[in-house]
Amino acid sequence: MSKFISTASRRIGFSHIAKSQIVWHSNERLFNTAAAVSLSSSSSSFLNIASPLQQHQIRTFSESSSPKPLTPYYEKKKKDKEYRRQVYDRRMANKLKKQLYQKHRIKGVRKKRFNDWFFKYIEDQDYHIGQALDENLDMRVRVVSVLQREPIVTHDRPQWEIDFDQLTQYLSQYGLTFPPGTDLSPDPIDIIPQEEFYKMNDEDLYHKLLPKGLVPMPRITEDDEAGNVKSMNRKLPLRLYLSTKFVAGAEKDKSSDEEKKGGNVWTFPSTIAKENETMLDAALRVFAETLAPGKELETWSPGTCPMVAAVVPYSESERALPQNAGYYGEKLFYFRIQCDSGDIKCTKAVQDYAWLSRAEMVEQARDEQGDDAAMLLEYLLVE
């Protein structure tokens, strides 16, 4: 083959052979020779003298070695770019959707609200303690008794929990079935007709399922309907806290906030701690002296540690009083006291009292003493 090409080159006068390649075909054991050549005007003569197989090989290689159009390449690049743009647009749309969704969610709002109040509260407390040390004045210790009545009935269930239970009961009828005579307790839907079951509330269901003679306590009492805040038989699902209003000039000294309001405000019962007396004993002494003389009120304290401590400075007029000489203000220690049984009986020092829930206490403090006192009760009390 190489001899034939060299002979043909001499006869037709090739200008030059640019490139040659020999490919071994393993099946037919043939040598296919391809050359990329720049043919002169006599290249047609070479095709005339070459065999048909040689002519086909030269034409095939000549066509394959010519530059291909770049249109498919640019089209592929364009499609890839469009795909990347679509992916980017979807990513940006999801990011914007997530931001709009989180904008309406309560995320970090309550934490920021607490931090804004708490750090300012701590800063004010440290300032008053430092001022007392600089002026070389003492703090009078006052013990505050947070008397609470525990919930009598279970808390009201949220609507989503009620809906979930109803859906669970509805789907349970398509679940497992047990043969009669087994010891497995029957489902309520098997005892009560289905149409009647889904129209019943919790109280109606308890009346149906509880044994005869056992009646559940009503969740809304007569005192709730009458609005009697002096009774503990109200708001049974919630905790109630005793709030008192002392008579002006009584043992309960007026604070600066009370003086600004022009009178006494609703507060927890409190007293000044005596020497050689623990703060817990002072907190229990409040009920024995001012609220419930005798043994009509049974109380219990869950611990000897106060819930929180707060510094209340005296105003200028309060410092001028003889009993407050040498004192910068009062340091209040709040103690949680639970009411086991009995009821309170107020003395003449107490002008008025009320059993209020956490929300009512916060609203009352906000109206009379401002947002700072309301925030303290909001984070101090339990629903």
Side-chain angles (χ1 to χ4, degrees):
M1 183 67 69
S2 58
K3 183 178 180 181
F4 170 77
I5 293 177
S6 60
T7 305
S9 300
R10 288 195 300 269
R11 290 184 60 182
I12 64 177
F14 276 118
S15 59
H16 66 279
I17 298 178
K19 186 178 181 181
S20 61
Q21 184 177 4
I22 301 176
V23 180
W24 173 259
H25 197 283
S26 59
N27 294 333
E28 300 179 0
R29 296 177 180 269
L30 295 177
F31 285 97
N32 297 329
T33 305
V37 296
S38 300
L39 297 176
S40 61
S41 58
S42 59
S43 59
S44 59
S45 302
F46 172 74
L47 295 176
N48 293 331
I49 62 174
S51 64
L53 177 60
Q54 295 170 348
Q55 294 178 13
H56 172 71
Q57 292 175 347
I58 294 175
R59 288 195 185 96
T60 303
F61 183 80
S62 177
E63 293 174 358
S64 61
S65 61
S66 60
K68 295 182 179 179
L70 299 178
T71 303
Y73 172 75
Y74 286 116
E75 289 180 354
K76 184 177 182 302
K77 285 193 64 177
K78 185 177 180 181
K79 291 181 180 179
D80 295 342
K81 186 176 182 180
E82 183 65 24
Y83 173 75
R84 291 193 299 269
R85 183 181 298 278
Q86 293 176 0
V87 173
Y88 175 79
D89 292 341
R90 287 197 300 269
R91 187 181 301 138
M92 292 296 104
N94 293 335
K95 184 178 180 180
L96 180 61
K97 182 179 179 181
K98 185 177 180 181
Q99 292 176 354
L100 294 176
Y101 175 71
Q102 292 178 349
K103 183 179 180 180
H104 301 286
R105 292 180 61 194
I106 302 177
K107 184 178 181 181
V109 176
R110 287 176 290 186
K111 180 180 178 180
K112 182 179 182 302
R113 180 171 174 266
F114 172 79
N115 290 337
D116 293 342
W117 167 80
F118 180 73
F119 291 118
K120 181 178 180 298
Y121 172 79
I122 293 297
E123 184 179 353
D124 293 341
Q125 297 291 302
D126 293 341
Y127 170 77
H128 292 306
I129 294 174
Q131 285 294 109
L133 294 175
D134 294 341
E135 300 178 12
N136 196 20
L137 297 176
D138 292 334
M139 289 281 187
R140 180 177 277 120
V141 177
R142 179 177 290 276
V143 180
V144 182
S145 299
V146 183
L147 183 62
Q148 67 182 25
R149 187 223 66 189
E150 292 297 303
I152 305 300
V153 299
T154 58
H155 286 274
D156 294 332
R157 297 194 302 167
Q159 186 61 38
W160 66 266
E161 186 176 347
I162 298 175
D163 297 339
F164 177 78
D165 287 345
Q166 290 181 353
L167 179 61
T168 304
Q169 293 292 341
Y170 173 75
L171 296 177
S172 64
Q173 62 181 327
Y174 303 104
L176 299 176
T177 56
F178 301 94
T182 57
D183 295 334
L184 299 174
S185 59
D187 196 83
I189 201 171
D190 299 332
I191 302 176
I192 306 171
Q194 181 176 353
E195 296 80 7
E196 182 182 354
F197 174 76
Y198 293 115
K199 296 179 181 179
M200 298 171 58
N201 54 23
D202 291 343
E203 293 186 6
D204 297 335
L205 186 61
Y206 293 150
H207 280 287
K208 286 282 187 180
L209 298 180
L210 290 177
K212 293 182 179 181
L214 184 60
V215 180
M217 179 174 286
R219 306 184 70 85
I220 299 178
T221 62
E222 297 179 357
D223 293 325
D224 285 323
E225 297 175 353
N228 183 16
V229 296
K230 297 184 184 302
S231 173
M232 288 193 293
N233 191 31
R234 62 184 295 265
K235 293 189 178 296
L236 302 183
L238 304 177
R239 288 180 174 85
L240 294 183
Y241 298 91
L242 178 63
S243 179
T244 57
K245 180 181 288 189
F246 284 82
V247 178
E251 190 274 336
K252 168 67 178 163
D253 298 328
K254 293 190 298 182
S255 65
S256 57
D257 292 335
E258 296 171 358
E259 186 179 3
K260 292 177 183 178
K261 294 291 181 181
N264 292 335
V265 296
W266 289 93
T267 59
F268 295 112
S270 63
T271 185
I272 299 296
K274 299 179 180 180
E275 295 183 2
N276 301 325
E277 181 185 34
T278 63
M279 288 190 289
L280 180 59
D281 292 338
L284 297 176
R285 180 168 53 85
V286 176
F287 310 115
E289 293 181 353
T290 61
L291 293 180
K295 298 182 180 180
E296 300 174 1
L297 183 67
E298 296 293 335
T299 59
W300 174 76
S301 176
T304 59
C305 180
M307 301 165 59
V308 69
V311 176
V312 178
Y314 286 146
S315 62
E316 296 296 332
S317 59
E318 289 173 339
R319 288 194 184 186
L321 298 176
Q323 63 268 24
N324 295 334
Y327 291 99
Y328 179 83
E330 295 179 353
K331 182 174 288 187
L332 278 61
F333 294 90
Y334 291 79
F335 277 83
R336 186 187 304 276
I337 308 296
Q338 294 184 4
C339 177
D340 281 348
S341 61
D343 203 347
I344 65 170
K345 183 184 295 185
C346 298
T347 61
K348 296 181 180 180
V350 180
Q351 179 181 353
D352 200 359
Y353 72 96
W355 290 95
L356 304 178
S357 63
R358 173 176 175 263
E360 294 171 341
M361 291 287 293
V362 171
E363 182 180 359
Q364 188 181 75
R366 180 173 287 108
D367 295 338
E368 295 184 347
Q369 306 178 42
D371 291 337
D372 292 339
M375 294 284 286
L376 177 62
L377 295 182
E378 182 178 349
Y379 294 118
L380 180 66
L381 305 180
V382 183
E383 190 71 44

